[in-house]
Amino acid sequence: MTAIKNVTGTAFIVAEFRAEENHEPMPLYRDPIVGLFLNDETRRAATAACAANPSAKEAVKLRTRYLDDVLEARIAEGCRQVVILGAGLDTRAIRKRAPGVAYFELDDGATLDFKKARFDEHGLDADVTFIPANYVAEDWIGLLEAHQFDSGLPTHFIWEGNTMYLPLVEVMRVLVRLREHVPQSTVALDYLSEKVITKSTGDPALCALVEYFARLNAPWITGIEDVHALADGLGLAVRENVSTADLHRKHWPDRAITSSFFQFYSLCTLAPRSGAVPGA
Ligand SMILES: C[S@@+](CC[C@H](N)C(=O)[O-])C[C@H]1O[C@@H](n2cnc3c(N)ncnc32)[C@H](O)[C@@H]1O
């Protein structure tokens, strides 16, 4: 479980970044729940991450909005289940609850126990099934099915803040399993350009960010250069692919883009291609 353990702490940094948007007069989203997870220690960790490169914080806010928008659209299309892989301190099961839509979250047991304890303390009735699991090492589809997940229903997967921490082969394995076992699914995920990982963006501030996460023992190891080629090779279709620079221009047209990070950090929504060969 080493891979999970070192990455787990980053969920608190993300939660801090996400929470900050609540103070904006015109926020991209509202997350009234995330504050329950934060304290002086998480604030210090987020301040240190911001010192490494402040654009990471803005990128987290943009990705939150994108993933919220895709989720809402999928629910409107009739999706009945939402699975959040490596959920960390994601609060969508409460923020985006909808009649007839079941939420499932997978993460390590300690993270999910912490989250449940906070919800219980605050009397929050989160209608979500927590499944402690390492989705790299365990049969996570089997675990979902053991918890009333129905692979035959239209399902949306959210895989946020995870792909960069995994070997590419594991990223591909997760996507193939999803395609094989949940045919009526979509998955929305974020990914870095390989140039960030190989420190070849030409921007020293991005190298500083990579080095910061390496020092945290949660190194960014995987980037994706051509998501269309990757998806194609896995029998998936790209429904949408946007850089955080695109999102920045869309949501903050009056703000200057002050870092190249936005150009090298993207989000996409993939779905099994109709006619994809199971197991291929
Ligand atoms: C950077 S955090 C992102 C959390 C959340 N998705 C978000 O964006 O707010 C990464 C999360 O993924 C979880 N994670 C990483 N690898 C995992 C694995 N193999 N199985 C289950 N959870 C994993 C970590 O424990 C951590 O909570």
Side-chain angles (χ1 to χ4, degrees):
M1 298 280 278
T2 328
I4 286 204
K5 205 176 83 211
N6 293 337
V7 176
T8 301
T10 59
F12 288 88
I13 298 176
V14 173
E16 279 284 347
F17 289 171
R18 186 167 291 137
E20 199 193 74
E21 187 66 6
N22 285 318
H23 306 300
E24 288 292 323
M26 302 268 284
L28 290 180
Y29 53 85
R30 288 197 189 277
D31 189 339
I33 316 293
V34 67
L36 305 183
F37 309 129
L38 308 178
N39 57 34
D40 287 345
E41 201 185 327
T42 60
R43 261 181 289 279
R44 275 194 296 276
T47 304
C50 241
N53 189 327
S55 54
K57 178 165 67 180
E58 305 313 318
V60 164
K61 297 174 189 174
L62 290 165
R63 91 183 191 201
T64 301
R65 171 61 187 265
Y66 173 83
L67 295 169
D68 279 5
D69 286 351
V70 175
L71 172 61
E72 281 175 10
R74 285 291 290 141
I75 290 175
E77 275 174 22
C79 146
R80 302 269 308 281
Q81 301 175 123
V82 179
V83 179
I84 310 182
L85 289 174
L89 305 170
D90 188 305
T91 60
R92 292 185 179 93
I94 296 181
R95 291 195 293 117
K96 301 289 173 191
R97 72 193 301 169
V101 176
Y103 278 83
F104 301 84
E105 293 190 6
L106 278 77
D107 207 304
D108 86 328
T111 302
L112 296 178
D113 286 349
F114 167 84
K115 204 169 169 178
K116 184 173 181 321
R118 286 290 162 286
F119 287 169
D120 290 349
E121 264 168 45
H122 291 266
L124 285 170
D125 169 27
D127 193 7
V128 53
T129 304
F130 289 131
I131 306 178
N134 180 338
Y135 61 69
V136 166
E138 292 172 86
D139 170 15
W140 55 276
I141 296 273
L143 285 171
L144 277 166
E145 285 170 344
H147 288 83
Q148 273 84 53
F149 174 81
D150 182 343
S151 302
L153 289 178
T155 300
H156 182 56
F157 290 82
I158 298 174
W159 199 17
E160 179 181 13
N162 276 236
T163 61
M164 56 290 288
Y165 298 103
L166 299 170
L168 182 60
V169 64
E170 300 298 353
V171 172
M172 292 165 69
R173 218 170 259 162
V174 166
L175 293 173
V176 167
R177 295 221 72 204
L178 188 151
R179 184 206 76 207
E180 284 176 350
H181 294 276
V182 196
Q184 293 188 69
S185 62
T186 42
V187 55
L189 58 91
D190 54 331
Y191 65 95
L192 290 166
S193 154
E194 239 171 62
K195 294 193 181 74
V196 175
I197 309 298
T198 54
K199 299 190 198 165
S200 52
T201 60
D203 182 346
L206 297 198
C207 299
L209 201 53
V210 173
E211 282 157 18
Y212 174 77
F213 280 96
R215 280 199 303 280
L216 276 190
N217 274 334
W220 286 350
I221 55 172
T222 289
I224 298 172
E225 220 34 52
D226 183 345
V227 81
H228 290 272
L230 179 83
D232 207 38
L234 299 176
L236 298 163
V238 179
R239 277 188 151 209
E240 192 176 25
N241 183 43
V242 285
S243 69
T244 51
D246 298 329
L247 296 172
H248 196 300
R249 282 186 285 271
K250 173 176 172 187
H251 295 297
W252 293 325
D254 300 329
R255 285 196 209 174
I257 297 184
T258 54
S259 165
S260 69
F261 184 54
F262 300 101
Q263 164 194 337
F264 295 110
Y265 181 42
S266 300
L267 290 119
C268 66
T269 304
L270 311 176
R273 222 178 23 221
S274 46
V277 185

